[in-house]
């Protein structure tokens, strides 16, 4: 009996060390190494020979989380589901650990654009947390924050704002006004306002979030870099390029120093600086930054990750602005192929790639091809986001411009009217 207890203790000690290494590697963006170590931790957990051991559920969840970060969604989903099943059997359907698994699976579905599947999981997770933790618990706020992000992605801005604000109230009350999680929610509300063009309302929230994070975590923390990056994007959207560049570069320096020069967040900063350079007409600098960003993303996340598609899409846009349409088309098609494979053919990001490809065809004078691709983009936007989403209005405007070039004035007018009706509802 003593030997058996010692064996279990040794297994547990090894698992804990492996799990700690997994967390460290994940935080540093070393996903390939993290996945290998997480698999070792899973193998170790299976040595307990207990199909409902909590370490087994945790290992499955952690490996799924790494696959999720790598864009390996089809591999992540069965692991998340198995972890959820173990936790439900082990602790009951109303346990907070079950709520955590539901939230993780919902986040995976949200990343894939499977919004209708994600929402009931978020709401079930929220009900469990409210029943087990109480309505004012920080975990309830986290789940509300995630559900709000889903509503935001669907263009349900009123619902999103209510959920974000409720999450903010809970966090401020339970954690204090100076807690980093309070800053995260402020940042989310600011981003929601920015996406609707409410710049005067967004600016003080961004700045307050930054002030909280700098005070709570120090000026060189990665979370401060993220907030700086968001504030920089806010200034870029308003054409305040000098302010934006200073903040982007400070964010980049923090990320390089704290996370290392080849972390995906560093790639994101380089991409943002490249987009700013492009807007300023500094095309050679923009291209160098885009290429370096892509190099990092392909190395850390793999060539089939959706973030790589985003980088390719942005570089394609740079070539369009220079009239290098052949280069742009190749990159746009590659981005489209990645998104279709990783996210499925009906994801809104696939529609974005199609919209961009149609725009290139239009610039090349290939109007018939452009019309077909715009129409495909529009159908995806309508199916995934609903017929009254702002992105539908954008696509309709693009179609209207194309119809005018083709001399089809009546169809152009109808598309413009429908886009105007969508915007009138949102205002």
């Amino acid at each position: 009996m003593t030997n058996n207890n010692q064996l279990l203790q040794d297994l547990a000690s090894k698992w804990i060390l492996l799990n700690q290494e997994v967390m460290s590697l994940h935080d540093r963006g070393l996903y390939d190494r993290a996945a290998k170590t997480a698999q070792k931790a899973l193998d170790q957990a299976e040595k307990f020979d207990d199909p409902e051991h909590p370490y087994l559920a945790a290992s499955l969840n952690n490996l799924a989380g790494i696959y999720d970060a790598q864009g390996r969604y089809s591999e992540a989903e069965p692991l998340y589901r198995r972890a959820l099943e173990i936790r439900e059997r082990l602790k009951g359907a109303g346990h907070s650990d079950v709520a955590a698994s539901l939230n993780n699976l919902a986040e995976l579905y949200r990343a894939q654009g499977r919004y209708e599947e994600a929402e009931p999981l978020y709401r079930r997770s929220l009900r469990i947390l409210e029943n087990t933790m109480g309505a004012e618990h920080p975990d309830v706020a986290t789940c509300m924050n995630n559900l709000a992000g889903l509503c935001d992605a669907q263009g349900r801005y009123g619902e999103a704002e209510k959920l974000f604000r409720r999450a903010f109230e809970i966090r401020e009350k339970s954690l204090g006004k100076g807690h980093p999680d309070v800053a995260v929610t402020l940042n989310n509300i600011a981003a929601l306002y920015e996406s609707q063009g409410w710049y005067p309302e967004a600016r003080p929230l961004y700045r307050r979030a930054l002030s909280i994070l700098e005070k709570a975590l120090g000026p060189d923390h990665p979370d401060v870099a993220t907030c700086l990056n968001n504030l920089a994007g806010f200034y870029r959207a308003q054409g305040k390029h000098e302010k934006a560049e200073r903040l982007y570069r400070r964010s980049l320096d923090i990320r390089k120093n704290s996370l290392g020069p080849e972390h995906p967040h560093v790639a994101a900063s380089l991409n943002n600086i490249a987009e700013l350079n492009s807007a300023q007409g500094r095309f050679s600098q923009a291209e160098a930054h885009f290429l370096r960003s892509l190099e990092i993303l392909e190395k850390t996340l793999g060539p089939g990750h959706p973030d790589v598609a985003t980088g390719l899409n942005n570089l394609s846009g740079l070539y369009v602005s220079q009239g290098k349409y052949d280069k742009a088309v190749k990159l746009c098609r590659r981005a489209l192929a990645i998104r279709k494979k990783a996210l499925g053919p009906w994801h809104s990001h696939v529609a974005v790639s199609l919209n961009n490809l149609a725009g290139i065809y239009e610039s090349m004078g290939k109007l018939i091809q452009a019309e077909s691709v715009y129409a495909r983009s529009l159908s995806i936007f309508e199916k995934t986001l609903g017929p009254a989403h702002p992105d539908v209005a954008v696509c309709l405007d693009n179609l209207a411009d194309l119809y005018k070039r083709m001399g089809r004035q009546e169809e152009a007018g109808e598309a413009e009217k429908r886009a105007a009706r969508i915007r009138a509802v949102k205002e």
Side-chain angles (χ1 to χ4, degrees):
M1 194 71 172
T2 304
N3 288 340
N4 189 52
N5 286 340
Q6 185 61 50
L7 176 62
L8 291 175
Q9 287 177 11
D10 289 344
L11 285 173
S13 296
K14 289 178 181 176
W15 182 87
I16 290 168
L17 288 173
L18 285 167
N19 198 55
Q20 288 173 343
E21 186 180 353
V22 169
M23 296 299 103
S24 175
L25 291 168
H26 177 276
D27 290 345
R28 288 152 57 197
L30 302 173
Y31 297 125
D32 282 340
R33 287 174 57 188
K36 290 174 184 176
T37 306
Q39 183 62 60
K40 289 180 183 177
L42 177 57
D43 294 342
Q44 189 74 12
E46 287 178 332
K47 290 179 182 177
F48 285 96
D49 200 25
D50 180 354
E52 296 183 353
H53 198 285
Y55 284 4
L56 180 59
S59 292
L60 289 163
N61 184 76
N62 293 343
L63 182 56
I66 295 164
Y67 287 160
D68 192 349
Q70 291 178 299
R72 297 162 64 179
Y73 302 129
S74 61
E75 294 171 83
E77 183 175 354
L79 299 182
Y80 274 142
R81 285 194 167 280
R82 189 177 161 203
L84 173 61
E85 289 166 3
I86 291 171
R87 285 172 168 171
E88 285 181 318
R89 288 197 304 268
L90 183 65
K91 299 186 175 181
H95 195 276
S96 57
D97 285 356
V98 171
S101 280
L102 288 165
N103 180 80
N104 291 341
L105 191 55
E107 288 280 87
L108 177 70
Y109 289 159
R110 179 170 65 145
Q112 294 175 288
R114 295 160 65 180
Y115 301 136
E116 291 182 3
E117 294 172 83
E119 184 163 353
L121 299 183
Y122 280 131
R123 293 196 182 278
R124 185 181 158 201
S125 177
L126 184 58
R127 285 195 300 273
I128 293 170
L129 291 170
E130 287 176 329
N131 290 335
T132 57
M133 304 290 194
E136 304 292 325
H137 194 277
D139 288 355
V140 170
T142 298
C143 193
M144 281 184 175
N145 185 82
N146 295 342
L147 178 56
L150 175 70
C151 292
D152 185 6
Q154 293 176 294
R156 295 154 56 187
Y157 299 133
E159 291 177 73
E161 183 177 4
K162 287 178 184 176
L163 288 164
F164 277 138
R165 287 205 166 275
R166 180 62 184 136
F168 169 73
E169 289 168 4
I170 294 170
R171 282 175 164 172
E172 194 173 52
K173 183 177 179 180
S174 60
L175 301 173
K177 292 184 178 181
H179 194 279
D181 286 355
V182 172
V184 168
T185 309
L186 283 168
N187 180 83
N188 291 340
I189 297 170
L192 179 68
Y193 288 163
E194 183 189 344
S195 68
Q196 298 173 83
W198 300 357
Y199 298 126
E201 292 85 355
R203 183 178 180 277
L205 299 183
Y206 275 132
R207 298 202 69 84
R208 184 178 164 198
L210 179 60
S211 176
I212 291 170
L213 290 172
E214 287 180 323
K215 187 173 181 180
L217 304 175
D220 299 320
H221 193 278
D223 289 355
V224 171
T226 298
C227 198
L228 287 165
N229 183 76
N230 295 341
L231 184 57
F234 168 76
Y235 284 133
R236 188 184 80 194
Q238 297 176 83
K240 298 177 180 178
H241 293 160
E242 289 185 10
K243 279 188 175 182
E245 185 163 5
R246 284 198 300 271
L247 295 176
Y248 275 141
R249 291 199 177 278
R250 185 180 158 202
S251 176
L252 175 62
D253 288 342
I254 293 170
R255 284 172 164 174
K256 279 183 175 178
N257 291 332
S258 59
L259 301 172
E262 295 195 330
H263 193 280
H265 290 180
V266 171
S269 285
L270 288 166
N271 177 83
N272 292 338
I273 292 171
E275 287 196 299
L276 181 64
N277 291 157
S278 179
Q280 295 170 306
R282 294 153 62 184
F283 298 132
S284 61
Q285 290 171 271
E287 183 177 19
H289 284 125
F290 275 136
L291 290 171
R292 176 59 182 146
S293 175
L294 274 168
E295 181 185 1
I296 294 170
L297 290 173
E298 289 182 317
K299 182 176 181 180
T300 57
L301 302 177
H305 194 280
D307 287 357
V308 172
T310 299
L312 290 165
N313 182 76
N314 294 343
L315 181 56
S316 173
L318 174 70
Y319 290 146
V320 168
S321 65
Q322 296 176 283
K324 299 177 180 179
Y325 299 125
D326 289 339
K327 279 188 173 183
V329 164
K330 288 177 183 177
L331 294 175
C332 196
R333 284 175 177 162
R334 187 179 157 205
L336 175 61
I338 291 170
R339 284 174 166 169
K340 278 184 176 179
K341 184 174 181 181
L343 303 171
W346 289 97
H347 195 283
S348 60
H349 290 181
V350 171
V352 170
S353 283
L354 287 165
N355 185 76
N356 294 340
L357 182 59
I360 299 170
Y361 285 152
E362 184 178 354
S363 297
M364 298 172 77
K366 298 180 178 181
L367 304 188
I368 301 300
Q369 285 176 270
E371 181 185 5
S372 173
V373 179
Y374 273 137
R376 174 65 178 154
S377 174
L378 179 61
S379 68
I380 295 172
F381 277 134
E382 289 176 322
K383 181 174 179 176
T384 58
L385 302 177
H389 193 279
D391 288 352
V392 172
V394 171
C395 199
L396 285 165
D397 282 335
N398 292 340
L399 261 174
D401 289 341
L402 177 67
Y403 288 148
K404 287 177 184 177
R405 287 190 63 183
M406 300 171 81
R408 293 156 62 178
Q409 300 301 326
E410 186 175 343
E411 289 169 277
E414 287 301 315
E416 285 179 331
K417 286 176 185 176
R418 192 176 155 209
R421 285 196 296 271
I422 293 171
R423 292 196 173 95
V425 170
K426 295 298 176 184
E427 287 171 357

